[in-house]
Structure formats: structure tokens, C-alpha cells
Amino acid sequence: MGRDLKLLEKQIGYQFSDFNLLRRAMAHSSYVNEKHLPKYECNERLEFLGDAVLEIISSEFLFYEHEDLPEGDLTKIRASLVCEPSLAYCARQIELGDYLLLGRGEEGTGGRKRDSITSDALEALIGAIYIDGGFASAKEFIHKFVLSDMENKKLFFDSKTILQELVQANFTEAVSYRLLTEEGPDHDKTFVSAVYIGKKEYGQGRGRTKKSAEQEAAYQTILLLHKNNVK
């Protein structure tokens, strides 16, 4: 069982009139199947709705935020904002995985930390807020937890590309990534990677995949280089 959903309400600053909507938004299909509940009791219908609400609100945000950009560029930016890794990143900021209702099998294989599950749950939460409090409440949540701190998020999502450009502009050596350790069983691994510029180690990162560990390591390296006035 996940943490008390009343704590999640405090975390996001929104109190549900219909608390059952929040509970349904956190109910993964594995939980519903295990409890022999009707299929519609899981969060997939709310996820379907939340996905559409997120698309219109993020589209409106980008339309006004980038008044000189053509449609094609806006579409690319929106796709990066609402993709699975991006939403999973936002879900981690509010510890959404801790509140999920999961079946024992999914719980045992690390479902609380799986990007596909937490990103879907975030969309389901948006759908639940939309039904409970209307468009304005959903918009406020999305602006606060998905569309906030865009510069830092862009730095994180594009970290490997940005780091490559930084190194090419400021160093004679090449950037490389090394896997330092693998921890945990096969179904629930954590990878630790490090960035090297030439032979010198810089940032380290942890992740559920080698790619996400490298991304985190690149991000930490960029922050370190910026701190040392390398831009």
C-alpha cells in the first residue's frame, strides 16, 4: 500500500471534493486486477483524460511563451515537455510513486520507481483534478508542477547534448561515460555512471537504466562546470 493520500493533497496544495477521484488516480491496473475490481476502477481512464488536458494547457503555455516560433518548433518543444521521462521527472518531484496503489507483483518488481507507471499516474492525477475542480484547477497544478522551472528541466533533459557542446568549446579532451556499479536484482537494478573529460572524473549519476544514470551524471557535470564559470 502507498502512503496516506491526504499527505499527497498537502504535497500538491489541492484538496479534493471527491476524494475517491484521487484514490482512483493512484490505482494501477495491477492493484485493480489483484483486488478483482472492475477494470474501470484503475487509473487508465483518468490518464486518458489527463493526457488531453495536459496537451491543451501546455500548448497554450508555449503559444504565449514563444510568440515567434513556428508550429513545427512548438510541436517539438511540447513533445519533449509531455514525454514519459519528462513527466516521470515531474512525478519524482512530488514523490508520486510513494502514493501508488499497486498489486504485489508490481510492487515487488520496483513499480513505484518505473517511469512508465509514474508518468501515467501524473496524467491520471491531472485528469482527477480536472474533473474535481475544473479547468482552472488543472491549469494551476500543471503550471506549478509540470511547466515550472523550464530552464533547469531543459538543462536536465538535454544534458548529454549540452555537455558535449560545452566540452567541445572549452576542452581539448573528449567526454566519455563509464559505468561504475550495478546494484540490486535484475528486475530492480540501479546503475551508477560517471562522466570523464579526458582522464578526469567529473559528475556521477544514478538511474534505473544506464541511459538515465548517464543523463544524471551529465547534468551534475554541467552544474559543476557552470559553478567553475565554464559556459
Side-chain angles (χ1 to χ4, degrees):
M1 292 291 289
R3 287 165 65 184
D4 183 356
L5 295 181
K6 287 289 182 186
L7 295 175
L8 179 56
E9 285 188 319
K10 288 181 182 176
Q11 185 95 329
I12 63 175
Y14 180 82
Q15 189 166 3
F16 279 81
S17 298
D18 181 358
F19 192 73
N20 190 51
L21 278 168
L22 176 57
R23 183 175 173 80
R24 184 175 292 186
M26 294 300 103
H28 186 253
S29 57
S30 62
Y31 174 84
V32 168
N33 292 337
E34 190 176 278
K35 298 293 183 183
H36 305 293
L37 298 170
K39 174 71 173 170
Y40 60 77
E41 288 285 348
C42 79
N43 64 6
E44 291 173 1
R45 283 169 51 84
L46 285 173
E47 176 205 335
F48 163 79
L49 181 60
D51 175 63
V53 174
L54 176 60
E55 183 158 318
I56 184 65
I57 290 172
S58 58
S59 298
E60 180 195 51
F61 172 80
L62 293 172
F63 182 83
Y64 290 111
E65 187 77 7
H66 302 286
E67 294 185 345
D68 56 339
L69 286 185
E71 178 267 344
D73 290 344
L74 291 173
T75 300
K76 285 178 187 173
I77 297 172
R78 184 182 65 196
S80 70
L81 282 180
V82 300
C83 68
E84 183 182 292
S86 174
L87 295 181
Y89 177 89
C90 297
R92 283 195 293 276
Q93 305 308 298
I94 55 173
E95 301 174 326
L96 197 60
D98 291 349
Y99 297 96
L100 292 171
L101 299 170
L102 298 174
R104 280 171 294 184
E106 199 63 65
E107 178 88 63
T109 56
R112 291 191 186 281
K113 297 178 182 176
R114 192 166 294 130
D115 283 4
S116 58
I117 292 178
T118 57
S119 61
D120 288 350
L122 184 69
E123 289 184 326
L125 179 57
I126 290 168
I129 292 171
Y130 172 75
I131 291 176
D132 191 73
F135 189 81
S137 295
K139 183 174 180 178
E140 184 178 345
F141 174 85
I142 290 168
H143 275 258
K144 186 175 180 182
F145 294 108
V146 181
L147 301 176
S148 61
D149 196 19
M150 290 301 300
E151 282 305 308
N152 200 42
K153 284 175 182 168
K154 185 178 186 303
L155 197 64
F156 178 75
F157 297 129
D158 298 337
S159 56
K160 292 183 78 171
T161 303
I162 291 168
L163 178 59
Q164 184 71 31
E165 292 169 353
L166 265 178
V167 171
Q168 286 175 345
N170 294 281
F171 294 84
T172 55
E173 303 100 328
V175 63
S176 62
Y177 297 86
R178 293 185 197 171
L179 179 64
L180 300 181
T181 61
E182 294 180 29
E183 303 166 358
D186 286 344
H187 65 264
D188 191 19
K189 275 196 181 299
T190 297
F191 298 89
V192 181
S193 293
V195 166
Y196 282 77
I197 302 174
K199 294 183 179 179
K200 184 178 177 183
E201 181 182 320
Y202 282 77
Q204 289 189 9
R206 301 170 69 87
R208 306 278 292 174
T209 64
K210 291 177 185 176
K211 184 178 177 182
S212 63
E214 289 178 357
Q215 182 183 34
E216 176 65 31
Y219 177 66
Q220 294 300 331
T221 302
I222 292 167
L223 296 181
L224 184 63
L225 293 176
H226 282 179
K227 195 174 177 182
N228 294 330
N229 294 315
V230 178
K231 295 182 180 178

